Amino acid sequence: MSAATILSEAYGEDACLYETVLGVSKDASPSQLRKAYYKKCLRYHPDKQSSDFSNDEKELAKKKFQAIS
């Protein structure tokens, strides 16, 4: 599966990696990109998901983590 396919499945067809996924502007510095990337990875990492999440929420988090990675 291509990265574009994974990204569109997790965040929608019009998803922009910088603005939609990472939450930074396209002209962000490398340190801003790195910080946003690490925050999102920790937020959506499958091992960090709470046990009281439903299976659907866990699957969505897994897809978002794969899109980021």
Side-chain angles (χ1 to χ4, degrees):
M1 202 182 284
S2 73
T5 306
I6 294 170
L7 186 67
S8 65
E9 283 181 4
Y11 289 95
E13 291 293 322
D14 298 330
C16 171
L17 179 62
Y18 294 105
E19 295 167 351
T20 307
V21 178
L22 296 177
V24 295
S25 65
K26 288 186 178 184
D27 59 344
S29 70
S31 63
Q32 289 172 322
L33 287 172
R34 193 175 316 114
K35 185 177 179 180
Y37 169 78
Y38 285 128
K39 280 186 175 183
K40 292 294 180 168
C41 282
L42 284 175
R43 181 175 180 191
Y44 294 120
H45 194 281
D47 292 341
K48 299 282 185 181
Q49 298 305 311
S50 175
S51 61
D52 38 315
F53 281 176
S54 70
N55 284 339
D56 292 337
E57 291 172 324
K58 287 182 182 180
E59 279 299 313
L60 181 59
K62 182 178 176 183
K63 283 184 182 181
K64 287 185 177 188
F65 180 75
Q66 287 175 342
I68 295 168
S69 300

